[in-house]
């Protein structure tokens, strides 16, 4: 209608031109004027109000065609903005399509097929070859390989058997599995990811708040400036010219591009990352993640496989290997630490223990029969006597030394080693290449910690750290530079950004974290950091561009260099550029991120 109206106007047919331009104006204005009026009634000023006033003023001055052009271009920009936001969310919602519509469940009278949403915790799911797993669970029968790439970003299938946890949305391999559900069909890891990310843009980051702080007072300021320009026209005796310029100033200084500069970038980047197993819980966390200059990593279960094994036992004179392991296992049955699991697995006989008390960060004390037993680290049980040299050699070989003491006498040493993950050294190298400092925090002794850190490529090691020490170390690191902490619940809250890695991260760590990785590949950390840095750069460019447009257009509008149509065109083209630039944040690079 707008184009046809201009054609008739250029053809010397003003009446049909006016009719068509009026229809075009009404069609465009319908997309934003009602909303602007509703917000005004609620006491909120917005960009739509500026455009509404400008359109009404243009019509009052007889410029229906320019008013129609303004309405068309603004409505087009609004539509593109909505489309950009929808596209950013589409990928996120696609995660929910990974959950099958129906699932087979084992009942007393045989297998039945029910909607996946009706699955309840403790139901036994029957998952055939090539089928998707409807909710989180633990394998109770069968062995197979599962493809978790759509959920965690890890491309290599994972072999699972009885006792292994499996995430919702992963694809079963060649054999049938029976899986006990650990979450309801409507409340599993995938649905939680979607909920977290959809809420993320509501909690705005520093740049989002900056854009809001600028845009919020700018709207009333623009209205006041436009009114002063119009009043100036009456003072100098040319109200028509200056009212028209006031309307042009109204449009030129409107912060429409600024209002969308950050949200579209944040939503695009967070939604994109979530499809590769990186769940960023808020826009603020995303922006802070892009500032990180130091990454602190917990050793056990982060840099290592979290599958420690006993590799050496040194009994004192008169003691046997089996006796030392059995005494340690008796106390460790009450402990959830990974080292405890290694000792328990190695024990052939585990006697009963009573009065077991834990000294956090040190070890355990208890009674085995009538014998008082202490099991702990070498700095707690420091008088090792004849075993001192053996303890030093074990620590130098990268083992964690567990000391077993009976009735005040050291009875033996157990050397436990948790091997590095295969990607640990590569991850540290990737972080260093980005100029990011890496620090290892561990409760292990100095020699063990340094031996393992050297293999990983980390030079800054903080060993013999109690939980409170780790939190204090992170606090100190944060004062030096923005710091991310990986997988240590007490320290996560004090870091600039807390990161929980995969299913091996503790529930407390995941709850405390700002960012959660559903996968366990450490190389996702440098990839996600690069993604966040790029997103921050895009946000900064968008804010600068939006402000530059206002700064440049304002004097051009005030002194009549550009008319209403020209200002509208430049303004809305700039908004489209800002939107398209923000959508670029969805692109992913590096491990788990397509080039």
């Amino acid at each position: 209608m707008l184009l046809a109206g201009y054609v008739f106007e250029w053809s010397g047919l003003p009446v049909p031109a006016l009719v068509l331009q009026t229809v075009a104006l009404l069609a465009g204005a319908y997309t934003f004027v009602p909303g602007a009026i509703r917000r005004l009634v609620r006491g909120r000023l917005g960009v739509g109000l500026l455009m509404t006033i400008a359109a009404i003023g243009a019509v009052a001055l007889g410029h229906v065609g320019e008013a129609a052009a303004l309405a068309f271009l603004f409505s087009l920009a609004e539509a593109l903005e909505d489309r950009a936001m929808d596209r950013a969310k589409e990928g996120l919602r696609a995660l929910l399509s990974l959950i099958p519509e129906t699932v087979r469940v084992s009942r007393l009278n045989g297998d039945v097929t029910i909607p996946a949403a009706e699955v309840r915790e403790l139901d036994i799911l029957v998952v055939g070859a090539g089928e998707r797993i409807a909710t989180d669970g633990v394998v109770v029968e069968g062995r197979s390989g599962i493809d978790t790439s759509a959920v965690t970003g890890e491309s290599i299938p994972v072999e699972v058997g009885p006792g292994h946890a499996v995430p919702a949305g992963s694809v079963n391999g060649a054999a049938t599995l029976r899986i006990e559900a650990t979450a309801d069909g409507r409340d599993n890891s995938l649905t939680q990811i979607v909920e977290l990310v959809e809420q993320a843009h509501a909690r705005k980051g520093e740049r989002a708040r900056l854009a809001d702080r600028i845009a919020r007072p700018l709207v009333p300021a623009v209205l006041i400036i436009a009114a002063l320009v119009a009043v100036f026209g009456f003072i100098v005796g040319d109200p028509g010219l200056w009212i028209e310029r006031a309307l042009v100033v109204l449009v030129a200084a409107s912060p429409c591009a600024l209002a969308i500069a950050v949200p579209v970038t944040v939503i695009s980047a967070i939604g994109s990352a979530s499809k590769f197993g990186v769940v960023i819980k808020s826009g603020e966390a995303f922006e802070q993640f892009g500032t990180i200059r130091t990454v602190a990593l917990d050793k056990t279960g982060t840099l290592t496989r979290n599958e420690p094994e006993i590799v050496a036992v040194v009994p004192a004179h008169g003691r046997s290997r089996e006796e030392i392991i059995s005494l340690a296992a008796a106390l460790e049955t009450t402990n959830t630490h990974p080292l405890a699991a290694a000792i328990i697995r190695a024990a052939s006989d585990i006697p009963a223990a009573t009065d077991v008390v834990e000294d956090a960060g040190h070890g355990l004390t208890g009674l085995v029969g009538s014998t008082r037993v202490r099991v702990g680290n070498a700095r707690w049980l420091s008088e090792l006597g004849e075993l001192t040299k053996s303890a030093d050699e074990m620590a130098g070989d990268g083992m964690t030394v567990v000391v077993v003491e009976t009735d005040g006498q050291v009875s033996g040493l157990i050397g436990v080693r948790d091997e590095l993950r295969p990607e640990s050294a590569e991850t540290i190298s990737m972080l260093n290449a980005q100029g990011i400092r890496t620090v290892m925090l561990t409760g292990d002794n100095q020699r063990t910690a340094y031996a393992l850190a050297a293999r990983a490529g980390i030079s800054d090691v903080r060993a013999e750290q109690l939980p409170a020490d780790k939190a204090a170390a992170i606090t100190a690191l944060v004062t030096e530079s923005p710091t991310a902490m990986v997988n240590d619940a007490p320290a996560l809250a004090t870091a600039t950004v807390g990161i929980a890695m995969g299913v091996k991260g503790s529930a407390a760590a995941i709850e405390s974290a700002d960012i959660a990785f559903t996968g366990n590949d450490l190389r996702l950390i440098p990839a996600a950091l690069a993604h966040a840095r790029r997103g921050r750069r895009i946000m900064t460019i968008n804010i600068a561009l939006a402000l530059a447009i206002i700064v440049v257009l304002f004097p051009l509008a005030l002194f009549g260099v550009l008319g209403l149509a020209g200002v509208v065109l430049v303004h809305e083209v700039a908004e489209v550029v800002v939107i398209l630039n923000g959508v670029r944040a969805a692109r992913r690079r590096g491990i788990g991120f397509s080039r």
Side-chain angles (χ1 to χ4, degrees):
M1 290 292 180
L2 180 65
L3 290 175
Y6 277 121
V7 169
F8 277 110
E9 185 176 337
W10 296 330
S11 302
L13 299 171
V15 175
L18 179 61
V19 172
L20 291 171
Q21 288 171 351
T22 301
V23 173
L25 170 61
L26 294 174
Y30 178 76
T31 65
F32 64 89
V33 172
I37 294 173
R38 284 193 297 270
R39 285 190 290 272
L40 181 61
V41 170
R42 293 196 295 267
R44 294 169 55 193
L45 304 179
V47 177
L49 178 63
L50 300 183
M51 297 301 173
T52 300
I53 295 171
I56 292 172
V59 171
L61 294 172
H63 301 301
V64 177
E66 291 187 348
L70 180 151
F72 166 72
L73 290 170
F74 184 66
S75 63
L76 176 62
E78 292 282 287
L80 289 173
E81 174 187 324
D82 291 341
R83 177 58 182 152
M85 300 294 275
D86 288 343
R87 282 190 63 187
K89 293 176 181 178
E90 279 171 8
L92 179 62
R93 296 190 187 111
L95 283 174
L96 293 178
S97 68
L98 297 179
I99 299 176
E101 293 184 2
T102 60
V103 60
R104 281 187 293 160
V105 178
S106 179
R107 301 286 194 230
L108 292 176
N109 57 349
D111 295 349
V112 296
T113 300
I114 64 172
E118 295 180 8
V119 171
R120 295 293 177 263
E121 190 175 350
L122 302 182
D123 279 347
I124 302 299
L125 314 183
V126 181
V127 184
E131 295 180 350
R132 286 197 182 273
I133 299 170
T135 192
D136 305 320
V138 174
V139 177
V140 294
E141 184 180 318
R143 291 187 176 276
S144 184
I146 62 168
D147 178 2
T148 64
S149 58
V151 182
T152 68
E154 297 176 3
S155 58
I156 300 174
V158 179
E159 295 297 322
V160 296
H164 286 129
V166 292
S170 51
V171 180
N172 185 24
T176 298
L177 295 174
R178 288 182 178 268
I179 299 169
E180 181 181 290
T182 57
D184 292 348
R186 293 181 182 274
D187 185 22
N188 54 55
S189 56
L190 273 183
T191 60
Q192 289 168 6
I193 288 171
V194 173
E195 182 179 352
L196 280 172
V197 180
E198 286 188 334
Q199 291 173 355
H201 71 285
R203 289 188 283 164
K204 297 178 181 178
E206 178 185 346
R207 279 167 170 69
R209 290 194 297 270
L210 173 61
D212 284 348
R213 284 199 299 268
I214 297 170
R216 193 176 296 117
L218 195 56
V219 172
V222 169
L223 287 171
I224 293 170
I225 291 171
L228 291 175
V229 172
V231 169
F232 177 77
F234 284 98
I235 294 173
V236 299
D238 193 358
L241 173 65
W242 288 98
I243 288 175
E244 184 173 348
R245 287 190 183 179
L247 296 173
V248 179
V249 165
L250 202 67
V251 176
S254 65
C256 46
L258 187 62
I260 193 59
V262 172
V264 70
T265 309
V266 169
I267 290 297
S268 296
I270 290 179
S272 170
S274 71
K275 292 191 288 184
F276 287 87
V278 181
V279 183
I280 303 171
K281 294 185 178 181
S282 70
E284 181 178 8
F286 175 74
E287 293 185 34
Q288 290 178 333
F289 196 37
T291 70
I292 295 300
R293 292 296 176 269
T294 302
V295 173
L297 302 105
D298 188 40
K299 177 183 76 70
T300 303
T302 302
L303 289 168
T304 63
R305 296 175 182 271
N306 202 28
E307 297 172 358
E309 295 181 355
I310 292 178
V311 292
V313 178
V314 180
H317 182 69
R319 299 284 185 175
S320 68
R321 180 183 189 277
E322 290 72 21
E323 183 184 7
I324 297 303
I325 295 175
S326 292
L327 287 171
L331 269 63
E332 297 287 10
T333 52
T334 63
N335 197 355
T336 58
H337 194 280
L339 296 182
I343 293 171
I344 292 168
R345 283 197 304 270
S348 56
D349 177 47
I350 303 178
T354 58
D355 298 334
V356 178
V357 178
E358 180 178 3
D359 188 334
H362 291 130
L364 302 165
T365 302
L367 288 173
V368 179
S370 60
T371 303
R372 176 148 308 268
V373 179
R374 289 206 297 172
V375 178
N377 55 49
R379 67 177 180 276
W380 187 40
L381 305 171
S382 56
E383 298 298 325
L384 303 183
E386 64 185 54
L387 299 182
T388 300
K389 183 179 178 181
S390 296
D392 289 342
E393 291 173 351
M394 293 164 76
D397 199 26
M399 299 181 206
T400 297
V401 180
V402 178
V403 184
V404 180
E405 179 192 273
T406 55
D407 292 331
Q409 298 294 319
V410 174
S411 298
L413 309 175
I414 300 174
V416 183
R417 187 160 56 204
D418 188 7
E419 299 294 345
L420 281 175
R421 292 188 186 188
E423 76 275 12
S424 291
E426 183 183 354
T427 298
I428 301 305
S429 176
M430 293 168 69
L431 289 170
N432 291 341
Q434 292 183 22
I436 294 173
R437 171 190 179 192
T438 53
V439 179
M440 186 174 85
L441 302 178
T442 178
D444 271 346
N445 64 74
Q446 293 277 359
R447 294 192 65 182
T448 301
Y450 275 101
L452 212 150
R455 291 163 57 198
I458 300 175
S459 57
D460 191 342
V461 180
R462 314 289 172 92
E464 301 181 4
Q465 299 276 299
L466 298 176
D469 297 329
K470 291 182 181 181
I474 292 298
T475 300
L477 288 170
V478 168
T479 62
E480 299 172 15
S481 64
T483 301
M485 177 67 203
V486 184
N487 272 4
D488 186 87
L492 290 181
T494 56
T496 309
V497 173
I499 300 173
M501 285 294 297
V503 294
K504 293 185 180 178
S506 69
I510 292 171
E511 183 66 26
S512 304
D514 301 297
I515 298 173
F517 290 69
T518 60
N520 291 296
D521 192 327
L522 288 175
R523 291 170 293 184
L524 281 172
I525 295 175
L529 276 166
H531 185 64
R533 284 182 170 186
R534 184 168 178 271
R536 273 181 62 89
R537 287 196 299 270
I538 290 172
M539 287 183 219
T540 302
I541 292 169
N542 271 353
I543 291 174
L545 178 60
L547 290 174
I549 290 298
I550 295 173
V551 170
V552 170
L553 285 183
F554 182 82
L556 295 179
L558 183 62
F559 295 109
V561 177
L562 282 179
L564 183 61
V567 167
V568 169
L569 181 61
V570 173
H571 224 298
E572 302 312 327
V573 167
E575 184 170 353
V576 171
V577 170
V578 164
I579 291 171
L580 294 177
N581 191 43
V583 171
R584 286 196 308 120
R587 293 172 57 193
R588 300 167 295 273
R589 296 176 178 178
I591 296 295
F593 297 91
S594 59
R595 294 187 182 278

